[in-house]
Amino acid sequence: MSEMRQADATMTNPVVPGFHPDPSICRVGDDYYLVCSSFEYFPGIPVFHSRDLVHWTQIGNALDRPAQLRLPAAMPSSGGIYAPTLRHHDGRFWLIVTNVAEGEGNLLFTATDPAGPWSDPVRLPEVKGIDPDLAWDEDGTCWCTVAGGAQVRIDPYTGETFGPAHQVWAGTPGAQAPEAPHLYRIGAYWYLLIAEGGTERGHAVSIARGRTPTGPFEPCPDNPVLTHRGTHRPIQNTGHADLVQGPDGSWWLVLLGVRPRGGTPGWHVLGRETFLAPVTWVDDWPVVGEVPSVLPTPAWPLVPGAAEEVRDDFDLSELRPQWISVRDRPAEHCTTKERSGWLTLRARGASLDEPDVVFAGRRQQHLSCRVRTRIDPAEGRGGLAVRLDEEHHYEIEAAEGQVRVLSRVGPFRTVVASRPVPAGPVVLRLDVTPAPPNGPRTGPDVLTFGIEEQDGTFIPLGALDGRYLSTEVAGGFTGRVIGLYAAAGTVHFDWFDYEPLGL
């Protein structure tokens, strides 16, 4: 993640770039662990590790088995896994989350190692509401608080609840969407941190405190303690935060935000990303500093991870944890074991319009990037795609003897360009670059699809406006995922390059 930047370079926010929303964090000794929402993608809930709060490495996905994660084809995009909370208690990691797919609800998982394996779910049928939080008081009682401020005592081992849920604090009167509650004991008080205002431009963080975990709670007189609404700051939609102490005892927030680009109204295309902000305490209330694009040098040593490689040669028996698929990933449809050093995809849905399309991708994490893959389409049809949902995607598709660029925007599906190519493998390429200025109507970026000849010459076939693969156009809660798909028969991919061209 941020380890893709050189250790001695300027440290920039977001610390976990790309579609990594709703961060929740916990500290165990000198180690930090962080999880994010994953919605309709499988495996679910990416898990990250850091030693310095700045450099994060993905160590796995918590929900990597069908028994843990049910995402049926009938579930719409931006359904699925919402807003996990990660905590460490009594020598164990606890992960509680909502799966909004029909028949699922709130689920609780445990692990002794956050890299996995994680347990099968403990179901919480009596806990109603999304964004569940876990907190333990001094006598070991476990409290679960959900969006809207309802709280109930639970047995986290069995999922049993004790007594009816009671209302503790629903945020600022009149503010929409009080959600993402996190309850903490800090000093003499229990603090209840929430998001409110909706996850769009009005997003904000507010807090209240009380003497017991069940309240009564007194709102902070300076609420919201963080918001960027109504500003020109490059980071917007700031909210859905979690508190943590740094290695030197200082306090920090991890939170989600977006980086809109272009003219009016501004389009964000990478989804909601994870940012870091400093916190100080005044009169036992947190004061949140600015969410900067450039982070100040911390007072503790930096511990960067290994640089992420540009190329994935598909030389492992399983896909690396950054790879995600739409709703499921059956081994008979997606494998690196059929042809050594290749990823093999066997089609199921006939296009990316279908909810059961066979797709394997990774989150777009940079505002500018270059993506390349070598595909052998001799046994089928497939290619390289940029996906937001079933109704918003662009792709370059190869079948024996032809390559074509396709666009799906809302109800319209268009063949943008086509070109004959020689039989055999072909290199497909995508360049994502800033949009040329066009006043207030300037889009966020341009996606140029084409092929590469053997000498590396790029032959562009179609340049598409990036605003149509943005949340402001498509709606929903996710961001762009760039990857590989099969639409007919069987296709093989020799390698996949993701090369950042900017932040």
Side-chain angles (χ1 to χ4, degrees):
M1 299 306 125
S2 57
E3 68 268 20
M4 296 178 72
R5 309 177 180 109
Q6 295 182 8
D8 59 353
T10 300
M11 296 180 302
T12 58
N13 254 332
V15 291
V16 189
F19 153 48
H20 293 105
D22 308 330
S24 181
I25 192 170
C26 72
R27 179 181 179 180
V28 183
D30 294 330
D31 296 285
Y32 295 88
Y33 300 97
L34 183 144
V35 295
C36 299
S37 297
S38 51
F39 296 93
E40 74 264 30
Y41 289 97
F42 180 95
I45 310 186
V47 182
F48 298 89
H49 171 254
S50 177
R51 299 296 297 274
D52 62 9
L53 285 180
V54 174
H55 300 92
W56 292 90
T57 300
Q58 188 173 352
I59 57 175
N61 294 279
L63 310 186
D64 59 3
R65 306 187 303 275
Q68 298 170 303
L69 181 55
R70 179 180 167 272
L71 300 171
M75 181 200 71
S77 288
S78 287
I81 294 297
Y82 281 22
T85 294
L86 177 67
R87 295 293 181 255
H88 186 263
H89 174 76
D90 198 23
R92 182 181 300 213
F93 290 90
W94 303 81
L95 180 64
I96 190 169
V97 70
T98 309
N99 183 347
V100 301
E102 185 177 356
E104 292 299 301
N106 287 309
L107 309 170
L108 198 154
F109 304 85
T110 61
T112 55
D113 182 347
W118 287 79
S119 69
D120 285 345
V122 172
R123 297 186 176 273
L124 301 158
E126 300 305 316
V127 176
K128 309 299 183 182
I130 62 171
D131 299 7
D133 176 73
L134 291 177
W136 286 261
D137 64 19
E138 290 85 347
D139 67 4
T141 299
C142 184
W143 298 98
C144 179
T145 310
V146 298
Q151 184 185 81
V152 66
R153 184 164 70 94
I154 70 168
D155 181 337
Y157 293 94
T158 66
E160 182 183 2
T161 59
F162 302 94
H166 59 281
Q167 195 71 24
V168 285
W169 182 60
T172 305
Q176 67 169 318
E179 58 191 6
H182 289 309
L183 182 66
Y184 318 87
R185 175 66 183 266
I186 301 173
Y189 291 98
W190 285 86
Y191 292 88
L192 183 56
L193 186 77
I194 69 165
E196 58 183 5
T199 196
E200 299 80 29
R201 295 294 192 268
H203 213 194
V205 178
S206 293
I207 198 166
R209 70 186 184 192
R211 294 293 184 177
T212 72
T214 58
F217 285 96
E218 165 199 6
C220 177
D222 295 320
N223 278 336
V225 294
L226 172 64
T227 185
H228 281 187
R229 63 194 180 203
T231 71
H232 288 293
R233 292 172 179 161
I235 300 164
Q236 290 291 323
N237 301 30
T238 50
H240 204 118
D242 204 0
L243 276 165
V244 70
Q245 276 190 285
D248 65 344
S250 59
W251 285 88
W252 296 80
L253 279 182
V254 293
L255 66 143
L256 70 77
V258 304
R259 293 182 283 171
R261 290 296 185 271
T264 299
W267 294 271
H268 75 277
V269 301
L270 305 188
R272 298 168 301 162
E273 309 176 89
T274 290
F275 293 81
L276 190 64
V279 175
T280 55
W281 293 83
V282 177
D283 297 329
D284 291 323
W285 289 113
V287 178
V288 183
E290 186 176 343
V291 185
S293 296
V294 178
L295 288 163
T297 301
W300 54 86
L302 295 176
V303 189
E308 187 172 337
E309 296 178 358
V310 168
R311 174 160 295 187
D312 192 331
D313 272 315
F314 303 125
D315 51 0
L316 301 179
S317 61
E318 303 290 341
L319 286 175
R320 289 172 170 82
Q322 293 83 1
W323 288 90
I324 52 178
S325 297
V326 181
R327 294 182 178 81
D328 65 3
R329 187 192 290 163
E332 63 269 23
H333 290 283
C334 177
T335 180
T336 59
K337 298 175 183 177
E338 183 167 319
R339 183 189 288 190
S340 180
W342 293 67
L343 173 65
T344 297
L345 300 181
R346 187 163 285 107
R348 185 173 51 186
S351 75
L352 278 114
D353 300 347
E354 305 298 330
D356 62 345
V357 65
V358 174
F359 173 87
R362 53 157 295 167
R363 296 158 173 91
Q364 181 183 335
Q365 295 178 271
H366 301 82
L367 297 170
S368 297
C369 61
R370 175 168 296 148
V371 182
R372 303 161 64 238
T373 188
R374 184 170 182 260
I375 178 176
D376 179 357
E379 303 172 56
R381 175 169 53 88
L384 173 64
V386 184
R387 180 188 189 273
L388 205 60
D389 58 31
E390 284 81 14
E391 296 182 355
H392 300 85
H393 50 85
Y394 298 155
E395 55 262 26
I396 181 167
E397 185 172 274
E400 189 66 13
Q402 186 184 61
V403 166
R404 58 182 187 164
V405 176
L406 305 171
S407 166
R408 171 71 193 269
V409 177
F412 304 107
R413 180 176 174 85
T414 305
V415 178
V416 176
S418 63
R419 178 187 177 93
V421 293
V426 60
V427 175
L428 308 178
R429 176 167 149 181
L430 161 68
D431 286 3
V432 182
T433 54
N438 186 26
R441 297 186 66 255
T442 302
D445 55 7
V446 175
L447 287 73
T448 303
F449 292 87
I451 60 173
E452 275 193 8
E453 295 187 328
Q454 290 187 357
D455 64 0
T457 301
F458 181 42
I459 302 175
L461 300 180
L464 301 175
D465 190 331
R467 79 186 73 200
Y468 302 111
L469 302 189
S470 72
T471 300
E472 283 75 14
V473 169
F477 301 121
T478 63
R480 288 182 188 166
V481 179
I482 303 177
L484 311 171
Y485 71 97
T490 300
V491 290
H492 306 275
F493 298 89
D494 188 9
W495 45 261
F496 176 92
D497 286 356
Y498 178 94
E499 179 184 1
L501 301 178
L503 296 177

